[in-house]
Amino acid sequence: MDIPFFYIENLESASGSIPLSEETSRHVVQVLRMKTGEQLQLTNGKGKLVTAIIADDHKKKAVVTMLRGKNIPCSRKKEYHCHFIGEKCKPL
């Protein structure tokens, strides 16, 4: 099985032990049936990627310990252009 990814919003300020939300804890422990000592990956969706190990496999308050983290730079510049084309309405 590949290492699963989970989204953690405030990952920038996290260090050492990271508590998981109740929803994420339930998914990790009950749905995926992961146990203490197994690895998972956390991301904030902004380029930060953390590999962590489950320290406490509580179904509502799981805690993971950070093993290593890295920042992945965005490789492309996001540019959006909008074009609106309209037609004048004709009376019936």
Side-chain angles (χ1 to χ4, degrees):
M1 180 171 95
D2 291 330
I3 299 175
F5 276 86
F6 294 95
Y7 173 77
I8 304 290
E9 188 173 346
N10 55 354
L11 196 55
E12 300 88 18
S13 61
S15 63
S17 293
I18 304 168
L20 300 179
S21 68
E22 186 173 333
E23 181 181 348
T24 303
S25 295
R26 182 189 170 286
H27 189 77
V28 168
V29 176
Q30 290 187 313
V31 176
L32 297 178
R33 297 177 188 255
M34 295 180 79
K35 302 287 181 196
T36 301
E38 292 189 65
Q39 288 187 5
L40 50 85
Q41 292 187 323
L42 308 173
T43 182
N44 64 355
K46 298 176 185 171
K48 178 118 182 184
L49 180 64
V50 171
T51 302
I53 192 166
I54 300 172
D56 181 11
D57 61 356
H58 189 276
K59 67 181 181 180
K60 288 189 177 186
K61 296 179 280 186
V63 177
V64 298
T65 302
M66 201 166 112
L67 294 177
R68 60 188 168 274
K70 63 181 176 179
N71 287 317
I72 302 170
C74 184
S75 61
R76 64 174 193 238
K77 184 179 177 183
K78 293 181 182 177
E79 229 176 86
Y80 299 100
H81 297 284
C82 294
H83 298 279
F84 293 98
I85 300 173
E87 222 178 273
K88 190 175 182 179
C89 295
K90 297 178 184 180
L92 295 175

